Amino acid sequence: MRNEAHRFGITFHRQKRSKAAIETELENIPGIGQKTSVELLKHFRSVARIKKATKQELTEVVGNAKAVKILEFYNSQP
């Protein structure tokens, strides 16, 4: 019984931790989903680089409309 309880607890913790690692602040941007955020992270390698990217760089990866949404989101933050 004890082993089963520990296995259940460990499995739950691992799932919770892996889900948090996958979710990024990019998905908090309205109009930006998981596929787009994965595409951006593959190209830029980090959220910090995405924040520093120019409109032209973002447009090459995700298109003009999404690039504008990303820039507006990060420019509105303090």
Side-chain angles (χ1 to χ4, degrees):
M1 284 291 259
R2 183 181 65 211
N3 289 343
E4 184 64 18
H6 284 114
R7 184 191 64 78
F8 181 79
I10 290 169
T11 302
F12 174 76
H13 179 71
R14 285 179 182 158
Q15 288 174 345
K16 188 175 178 182
R17 187 178 61 210
S18 68
K19 200 180 252 188
I22 292 171
E23 189 175 307
T24 65
E25 69 179 38
L26 294 172
E27 293 178 18
N28 295 333
I29 303 171
I32 304 299
Q34 185 178 7
K35 283 185 178 181
T36 306
S37 63
V38 168
E39 201 173 310
L40 285 164
L41 288 170
K42 280 183 183 177
H43 186 269
F44 290 103
R45 304 280 183 194
S46 72
V47 176
R49 286 185 177 175
I50 294 169
K51 288 179 182 180
K52 294 177 184 178
T54 64
K55 182 179 179 184
Q56 185 174 357
E57 291 171 333
L58 291 170
T59 302
E60 290 174 5
V61 179
V62 294
N64 190 44
K66 290 183 180 180
V68 170
K69 290 178 184 180
I70 294 167
L71 289 172
E72 287 177 355
F73 180 79
Y74 285 121
N75 289 335
S76 67
Q77 290 183 339

XYZ file of all heavy atoms in Angstrom:
628
model
N 0.823 -1.193 0.000
C 0.000 0.000 0.000
C 0.874 1.265 0.000
O 0.583 2.203 -0.722
C -0.908 0.013 1.234
C -2.082 -0.912 1.145
S -3.238 -0.346 -0.069
C -4.453 0.391 0.934
N 1.872 1.256 0.849
C 2.713 2.436 0.957
C 3.411 2.735 -0.368
O 3.476 3.889 -0.801
C 3.730 2.243 2.075
C 4.601 3.479 2.291
C 5.621 3.270 3.377
N 6.552 2.233 2.948
C 7.174 1.378 3.761
N 6.968 1.429 5.050
N 7.993 0.482 3.294
N 3.933 1.713 -1.022
C 4.615 1.903 -2.300
C 3.677 2.468 -3.351
O 4.063 3.325 -4.156
C 5.215 0.591 -2.790
C 6.414 0.164 -1.965
O 6.979 0.976 -1.238
N 6.772 -1.100 -2.070
N 2.446 1.995 -3.369
C 1.462 2.490 -4.334
C 1.141 3.964 -4.074
O 1.032 4.761 -5.001
C 0.181 1.646 -4.256
C -0.859 2.014 -5.261
C -0.440 1.782 -6.705
O 0.523 1.032 -6.960
O -1.081 2.363 -7.590
N 1.025 4.338 -2.825
C 0.754 5.736 -2.478
C 1.914 6.627 -2.907
O 1.709 7.727 -3.443
C 0.508 5.868 -0.982
N 3.133 6.176 -2.679
C 4.293 6.959 -3.094
C 4.375 7.071 -4.613
O 4.694 8.119 -5.153
C 5.584 6.347 -2.541
C 5.778 6.630 -1.094
N 5.758 5.646 -0.149
C 5.969 7.781 -0.425
C 5.932 6.186 1.049
N 6.059 7.487 0.909
N 4.113 5.970 -5.310
C 4.133 5.996 -6.779
C 3.105 7.001 -7.303
O 3.395 7.791 -8.194
C 3.817 4.610 -7.344
C 3.910 4.549 -8.868
C 3.350 3.255 -9.427
N 1.933 3.098 -9.183
C 0.958 3.709 -9.887
N 1.248 4.515 -10.864
N -0.310 3.495 -9.581
N 1.925 6.998 -6.725
C 0.885 7.933 -7.137
C 1.320 9.386 -6.909
O 1.176 10.234 -7.782
C -0.415 7.641 -6.369
C -1.543 8.537 -6.742
C -2.267 8.315 -7.898
C -1.884 9.618 -5.936
C -3.315 9.142 -8.254
C -2.926 10.449 -6.274
C -3.641 10.210 -7.443
N 1.862 9.655 -5.736
C 2.316 11.008 -5.415
C 3.452 11.474 -6.314
O 3.465 12.612 -6.789
N 4.409 10.621 -6.570
C 5.553 10.964 -7.420
C 5.101 11.206 -8.853
O 5.528 12.160 -9.505
C 6.627 9.856 -7.351
C 7.287 9.874 -5.966
C 7.667 10.025 -8.447
C 8.168 8.673 -5.691
N 4.203 10.351 -9.358
C 3.691 10.516 -10.722
C 2.962 11.845 -10.863
O 3.156 12.572 -11.845
C 2.742 9.355 -11.079
O 3.440 8.130 -10.935
C 2.246 9.483 -12.509
N 2.124 12.176 -9.880
C 1.399 13.441 -9.915
C 2.363 14.624 -9.918
O 2.202 15.569 -10.706
C 0.465 13.554 -8.702
C -0.203 14.882 -8.595
C -1.260 15.213 -9.432
C 0.218 15.818 -7.658
C -1.880 16.451 -9.343
C -0.390 17.052 -7.572
C -1.444 17.364 -8.412
N 3.372 14.585 -9.083
C 4.339 15.681 -9.005
C 5.105 15.844 -10.316
O 5.327 16.959 -10.787
C 5.308 15.440 -7.848
C 6.341 16.504 -7.715
N 6.053 17.768 -7.268
C 7.661 16.495 -7.999
C 7.155 18.489 -7.275
N 8.149 17.744 -7.717
N 5.515 14.740 -10.922
C 6.235 14.798 -12.195
C 5.376 15.408 -13.299
O 5.854 16.201 -14.107
C 6.704 13.412 -12.618
C 7.880 12.914 -11.827
C 8.292 11.535 -12.279
N 9.396 11.034 -11.477
C 9.697 9.764 -11.334
N 8.968 8.835 -11.949
N 10.713 9.401 -10.591
N 4.112 15.019 -13.362
C 3.213 15.571 -14.372
C 3.014 17.065 -14.171
O 3.018 17.841 -15.129
C 1.861 14.864 -14.328
C 1.895 13.466 -14.865
C 0.578 12.746 -14.685
O -0.289 13.169 -13.929
N 0.436 11.609 -15.367
N 2.848 17.465 -12.937
C 2.648 18.883 -12.626
C 3.889 19.697 -13.004
O 3.796 20.772 -13.592
C 2.345 19.040 -11.141
C 1.936 20.419 -10.731
C 1.544 20.453 -9.271
C 1.183 21.847 -8.853
N 0.848 21.937 -7.440
N 5.054 19.178 -12.691
C 6.305 19.868 -12.987
C 6.545 19.960 -14.491
O 6.953 20.996 -14.999
C 7.459 19.143 -12.304
C 8.782 19.871 -12.399
C 9.871 19.129 -11.668
N 10.055 17.812 -12.263
C 10.460 16.735 -11.593
N 10.716 16.811 -10.317
N 10.608 15.586 -12.210
N 6.285 18.891 -15.232
C 6.527 18.913 -16.676
C 5.535 19.833 -17.379
O 5.880 20.477 -18.363
C 6.461 17.508 -17.262
O 5.160 16.999 -17.218
N 4.311 19.918 -16.903
C 3.324 20.798 -17.511
C 3.737 22.258 -17.318
O 3.599 23.072 -18.221
C 1.955 20.555 -16.866
C 0.790 21.034 -17.680
C -0.510 20.744 -16.960
C -1.233 19.626 -17.643
N -2.585 19.422 -17.095
N 4.280 22.590 -16.157
C 4.723 23.958 -15.887
C 5.927 24.318 -16.741
O 6.087 25.467 -17.145
C 5.053 24.125 -14.406
N 6.773 23.364 -17.032
C 7.960 23.629 -17.841
C 7.580 23.914 -19.287
O 8.239 24.700 -19.963
C 8.917 22.447 -17.769
N 6.527 23.286 -19.774
C 6.109 23.466 -21.160
C 5.408 24.806 -21.354
O 5.576 25.466 -22.364
C 5.198 22.306 -21.597
C 6.012 21.020 -21.654
C 4.549 22.591 -22.934
C 5.193 19.775 -21.871
N 4.620 25.217 -20.380
C 3.870 26.458 -20.498
C 4.807 27.662 -20.380
O 5.638 27.725 -19.496
C 2.810 26.530 -19.397
C 1.863 27.672 -19.575
C 0.766 27.639 -18.527
O 0.117 26.589 -18.396
O 0.585 28.656 -17.848
N 4.677 28.596 -21.302
C 5.511 29.782 -21.269
C 4.629 31.012 -21.182
O 3.425 30.935 -21.361
C 6.383 29.903 -22.534
O 5.520 30.101 -23.656
C 7.230 28.675 -22.752
N 5.246 32.151 -20.930
C 4.472 33.380 -20.882
C 3.983 33.785 -22.263
O 3.092 34.608 -22.384
C 5.269 34.503 -20.235
C 6.445 35.004 -21.028
C 7.167 36.133 -20.324
O 7.295 36.105 -19.098
O 7.601 37.048 -21.023
N 4.530 33.183 -23.304
C 4.060 33.460 -24.658
C 2.603 33.050 -24.829
O 1.854 33.688 -25.563
C 4.913 32.710 -25.686
C 6.363 33.136 -25.805
C 7.108 32.179 -26.715
C 6.463 34.545 -26.328
N 2.200 31.994 -24.140
C 0.821 31.527 -24.248
C -0.157 32.448 -23.519
O -1.366 32.304 -23.666
C 0.720 30.097 -23.745
C 1.461 29.130 -24.656
C 1.428 27.700 -24.181
O 0.576 27.356 -23.352
O 2.267 26.916 -24.645
N 0.339 33.390 -22.742
C -0.524 34.374 -22.093
C -0.903 35.497 -23.039
O -1.775 36.300 -22.731
C 0.161 34.967 -20.857
C 0.386 33.918 -19.783
O -0.339 32.945 -19.692
N 1.397 34.121 -18.975
N -0.249 35.577 -24.180
C -0.542 36.612 -25.167
C -1.790 36.193 -25.935
O -1.836 35.090 -26.483
C 0.632 36.801 -26.149
C 1.911 37.150 -25.389
C 0.314 37.867 -27.187
C 3.162 37.145 -26.251
N -2.818 37.038 -25.972
C -4.027 36.686 -26.729
C -3.694 36.481 -28.209
O -3.025 37.304 -28.820
C -4.939 37.903 -26.549
C -4.396 38.643 -25.384
C -2.933 38.323 -25.308
N -4.142 35.375 -28.763
C -3.898 35.086 -30.169
C -2.651 34.263 -30.430
O -2.378 33.884 -31.553
N -1.886 33.973 -29.379
C -0.677 33.160 -29.516
C -0.921 31.848 -28.791
O -1.129 31.823 -27.586
C 0.563 33.874 -28.915
C 0.759 35.245 -29.543
C 1.801 33.008 -29.080
C 1.009 35.244 -31.031
N -0.896 30.765 -29.532
C -1.151 29.451 -28.955
C 0.113 28.649 -28.763
O 1.233 29.159 -28.899
N -0.089 27.391 -28.479
C 1.042 26.513 -28.196
C 1.914 26.303 -29.429
O 3.144 26.331 -29.327
C 0.544 25.173 -27.672
C 1.662 24.252 -27.251
C 1.161 22.941 -26.676
O -0.033 22.677 -26.705
N 2.067 22.142 -26.172
N 1.305 26.115 -30.597
C 2.094 25.882 -31.806
C 2.978 27.078 -32.136
O 4.146 26.928 -32.475
C 1.182 25.593 -32.999
C 0.611 24.213 -33.021
C -0.164 23.977 -34.297
C -0.698 22.579 -34.365
N -1.439 22.349 -35.619
N 2.406 28.268 -32.018
C 3.170 29.479 -32.319
C 4.295 29.671 -31.320
O 5.414 30.032 -31.694
C 2.254 30.713 -32.322
O 1.168 30.474 -33.215
C 2.999 31.955 -32.737
N 4.018 29.421 -30.041
C 5.063 29.597 -29.034
C 6.191 28.587 -29.233
O 7.361 28.932 -29.076
C 4.489 29.506 -27.619
O 3.953 28.241 -27.370
N 5.863 27.363 -29.631
C 6.899 26.363 -29.901
C 7.729 26.792 -31.106
O 8.963 26.696 -31.096
C 6.271 24.967 -30.129
C 7.271 23.984 -30.702
C 5.691 24.434 -28.834
N 7.057 27.294 -32.124
C 7.759 27.765 -33.322
C 8.719 28.900 -32.984
O 9.866 28.923 -33.446
C 6.707 28.247 -34.335
C 7.163 28.296 -35.754
C 6.003 28.615 -36.683
O 4.962 27.953 -36.583
O 6.150 29.556 -37.478
N 8.260 29.846 -32.164
C 9.107 30.969 -31.756
C 10.304 30.491 -30.937
O 11.426 30.955 -31.137
C 8.295 31.983 -30.946
C 7.336 32.852 -31.739
C 6.333 33.511 -30.810
C 8.098 33.892 -32.531
N 10.059 29.579 -30.011
C 11.144 29.084 -29.164
C 12.154 28.265 -29.963
O 13.349 28.291 -29.654
C 10.586 28.273 -27.998
C 9.883 29.097 -26.930
C 9.166 28.190 -25.943
C 10.858 30.004 -26.214
N 11.704 27.553 -30.973
C 12.638 26.818 -31.822
C 13.561 27.781 -32.562
O 14.752 27.519 -32.715
C 11.887 25.965 -32.844
C 11.367 24.674 -32.299
C 10.704 23.869 -33.409
C 10.111 22.590 -32.877
N 9.417 21.848 -33.950
N 12.999 28.891 -33.006
C 13.787 29.840 -33.793
C 14.679 30.711 -32.907
O 15.862 30.881 -33.174
C 12.864 30.721 -34.637
C 13.597 31.618 -35.575
N 13.985 32.890 -35.227
C 14.031 31.419 -36.844
C 14.617 33.439 -36.246
N 14.657 32.575 -37.245
N 14.107 31.280 -31.839
C 14.840 32.242 -31.010
C 15.545 31.609 -29.805
O 16.388 32.237 -29.190
C 13.898 33.345 -30.518
C 13.443 34.269 -31.607
C 12.173 34.162 -32.142
C 14.281 35.243 -32.105
C 11.741 35.013 -33.146
C 13.874 36.097 -33.103
C 12.598 35.977 -33.631
N 15.160 30.409 -29.414
C 15.778 29.633 -28.331
C 15.424 30.083 -26.914
O 15.680 29.360 -25.968
C 17.302 29.579 -28.451
C 17.805 29.049 -29.730
C 17.748 27.572 -29.725
N 18.322 27.062 -30.979
C 18.178 25.835 -31.377
N 17.510 24.994 -30.653
N 18.688 25.447 -32.516
N 14.868 31.289 -26.720
C 14.479 31.711 -25.378
C 13.467 32.853 -25.459
O 13.388 33.562 -26.463
C 15.690 32.171 -24.561
O 16.164 33.409 -25.036
N 12.730 33.031 -24.369
C 11.750 34.110 -24.303
C 12.462 35.462 -24.270
O 11.984 36.438 -24.837
C 10.831 33.927 -23.067
C 9.876 35.094 -22.919
C 10.044 32.631 -23.177
N 13.619 35.514 -23.641
C 14.375 36.770 -23.573
C 14.746 37.258 -24.968
O 14.665 38.457 -25.264
C 15.625 36.583 -22.726
N 15.147 36.340 -25.839
C 15.492 36.735 -27.211
C 14.251 37.164 -27.988
O 14.339 38.037 -28.847
C 16.177 35.588 -27.937
C 17.596 35.361 -27.484
C 18.242 34.290 -28.321
N 19.628 34.112 -27.952
C 20.403 33.166 -28.458
N 19.913 32.319 -29.342
N 21.650 33.059 -28.079
N 13.128 36.546 -27.698
C 11.878 36.942 -28.359
C 11.510 38.365 -27.944
O 11.072 39.161 -28.768
C 10.747 35.951 -28.025
C 11.070 34.582 -28.623
C 9.403 36.449 -28.540
C 10.171 33.459 -28.153
N 11.709 38.689 -26.674
C 11.417 40.042 -26.186
C 12.282 41.083 -26.886
O 11.837 42.189 -27.153
C 11.655 40.139 -24.673
C 10.634 39.432 -23.840
C 10.983 39.575 -22.376
C 10.007 38.847 -21.494
N 10.332 38.988 -20.064
N 13.517 40.740 -27.198
C 14.447 41.678 -27.825
C 14.325 41.720 -29.348
O 14.910 42.586 -29.990
C 15.886 41.308 -27.455
C 16.196 41.481 -25.998
C 17.606 41.031 -25.681
C 17.899 41.114 -24.199
N 19.244 40.625 -23.880
N 13.572 40.786 -29.919
C 13.480 40.676 -31.379
C 12.765 41.882 -31.980
O 11.877 42.480 -31.363
C 12.737 39.407 -31.759
N 13.148 42.219 -33.194
C 12.499 43.314 -33.913
C 11.243 42.795 -34.596
O 11.021 41.579 -34.706
C 13.442 43.898 -34.985
O 13.694 42.879 -35.959
C 14.742 44.379 -34.371
N 10.435 43.724 -35.079
C 9.202 43.352 -35.764
C 9.512 42.508 -37.000
O 8.828 41.530 -37.279
C 8.409 44.590 -36.151
C 7.098 44.281 -36.819
C 6.328 45.522 -37.164
C 5.034 45.163 -37.866
N 4.301 46.331 -38.313
N 10.538 42.878 -37.726
C 10.896 42.154 -38.939
C 11.319 40.716 -38.623
O 10.940 39.777 -39.320
C 12.013 42.869 -39.684
C 12.346 42.229 -41.018
C 13.348 43.039 -41.799
O 13.759 44.115 -41.380
N 13.735 42.531 -42.950
N 12.091 40.534 -37.571
C 12.521 39.192 -37.183
C 11.329 38.318 -36.794
O 11.248 37.151 -37.171
C 13.510 39.267 -36.019
C 14.848 39.870 -36.386
C 15.722 40.127 -35.175
O 15.202 40.331 -34.060
O 16.953 40.119 -35.356
N 10.406 38.904 -36.034
C 9.219 38.158 -35.625
C 8.322 37.846 -36.820
O 7.770 36.755 -36.928
C 8.433 38.942 -34.571
C 9.092 39.068 -33.202
C 8.339 40.066 -32.339
C 9.155 37.724 -32.510
N 8.192 38.815 -37.739
C 7.347 38.629 -38.913
C 7.851 37.479 -39.780
O 7.056 36.726 -40.340
C 7.281 39.930 -39.734
O 6.775 40.973 -38.904
C 6.381 39.778 -40.946
N 9.153 37.328 -39.890
C 9.718 36.228 -40.679
C 9.329 34.866 -40.124
O 9.189 33.902 -40.877
C 11.240 36.345 -40.711
C 11.753 37.508 -41.518
C 13.259 37.693 -41.410
O 13.920 36.847 -40.768
O 13.764 38.686 -41.945
N 9.116 34.788 -38.810
C 8.822 33.503 -38.179
C 7.317 33.237 -38.097
O 6.856 32.153 -38.440
C 9.448 33.435 -36.766
C 9.130 32.113 -36.084
C 10.939 33.638 -36.850
N 6.524 34.240 -37.654
C 5.106 33.987 -37.372
C 4.129 34.834 -38.182
O 2.925 34.687 -38.025
C 4.790 34.178 -35.873
C 5.486 33.130 -35.035
C 5.131 35.564 -35.399
N 4.617 35.730 -38.998
C 3.716 36.578 -39.766
C 3.494 37.919 -39.092
O 3.778 38.100 -37.905
N 2.952 38.847 -39.852
C 2.823 40.225 -39.388
C 1.834 40.372 -38.238
O 2.109 41.051 -37.253
C 2.428 41.138 -40.547
C 2.504 42.594 -40.178
O 3.462 43.019 -39.540
N 1.500 43.354 -40.560
N 0.653 39.763 -38.358
C -0.394 39.945 -37.344
C 0.065 39.462 -35.966
O -0.114 40.159 -34.957
C -1.656 39.215 -37.768
N 0.665 38.297 -35.903
C 1.125 37.759 -34.616
C 2.334 38.522 -34.099
O 2.480 38.699 -32.888
C 1.441 36.272 -34.740
C 0.187 35.433 -34.924
C 0.498 33.967 -34.983
C -0.789 33.180 -35.174
N -0.567 31.750 -35.231
N 3.170 39.002 -35.001
C 4.328 39.797 -34.585
C 3.872 41.071 -33.886
O 4.428 41.462 -32.854
C 5.198 40.130 -35.784
N 2.833 41.704 -34.425
C 2.295 42.921 -33.823
C 1.726 42.617 -32.438
O 1.950 43.368 -31.483
C 1.221 43.558 -34.740
C 0.478 44.663 -34.028
C 1.862 44.075 -36.018
N 1.005 41.500 -32.298
C 0.444 41.123 -30.993
C 1.545 40.904 -29.958
O 1.430 41.326 -28.813
C -0.398 39.854 -31.128
C -1.686 40.057 -31.874
C -2.443 38.760 -32.006
C -3.698 38.962 -32.840
N -4.467 37.723 -32.988
N 2.611 40.246 -30.377
C 3.728 39.972 -29.456
C 4.396 41.268 -29.023
O 4.669 41.486 -27.841
C 4.741 39.012 -30.108
C 4.102 37.645 -30.312
C 6.008 38.892 -29.273
C 4.880 36.718 -31.211
N 4.664 42.141 -29.976
C 5.310 43.416 -29.661
C 4.433 44.274 -28.758
O 4.929 44.890 -27.809
C 5.652 44.168 -30.948
C 6.793 43.569 -31.767
C 6.909 44.269 -33.109
C 8.095 43.646 -31.006
N 3.135 44.325 -29.028
C 2.224 45.106 -28.177
C 2.192 44.556 -26.761
O 2.165 45.308 -25.793
C 0.819 45.111 -28.772
C 0.678 45.981 -29.991
C -0.714 45.917 -30.605
O -1.555 45.107 -30.135
O -0.960 46.669 -31.559
N 2.197 43.230 -26.631
C 2.170 42.608 -25.308
C 3.402 42.985 -24.499
O 3.311 43.383 -23.346
C 2.074 41.089 -25.453
C 2.040 40.356 -24.135
C 0.875 40.282 -23.406
C 3.181 39.754 -23.644
C 0.844 39.592 -22.195
C 3.166 39.058 -22.438
C 1.988 38.988 -21.710
N 4.574 42.868 -25.108
C 5.802 43.142 -24.358
C 6.048 44.639 -24.187
O 6.690 45.047 -23.218
C 7.002 42.473 -25.018
C 7.005 40.977 -24.758
C 6.985 40.078 -25.807
C 7.014 40.482 -23.473
C 6.970 38.704 -25.563
C 7.000 39.121 -23.212
C 6.982 38.242 -24.270
O 6.965 36.898 -24.021
N 5.561 45.479 -25.076
C 5.727 46.922 -24.915
C 4.779 47.487 -23.865
O 5.052 48.537 -23.300
C 5.533 47.644 -26.243
C 6.687 47.382 -27.195
O 7.788 47.071 -26.779
N 6.418 47.496 -28.486
N 3.670 46.802 -23.593
C 2.717 47.284 -22.595
C 3.135 46.907 -21.178
O 2.623 47.432 -20.214
C 1.322 46.733 -22.874
O 1.290 45.326 -22.687
N 4.078 45.958 -21.053
C 4.547 45.558 -19.728
C 5.617 46.522 -19.234
O 6.424 47.005 -20.010
C 5.131 44.145 -19.769
C 4.100 43.081 -19.972
C 4.721 41.698 -19.920
O 5.916 41.536 -20.108
N 3.907 40.706 -19.650
N 5.613 46.771 -17.900
C 6.630 47.679 -17.352
C 7.996 47.064 -17.276
O 8.255 45.951 -17.357
C 6.118 47.982 -15.938
C 5.122 46.911 -15.613
C 4.670 46.325 -16.920
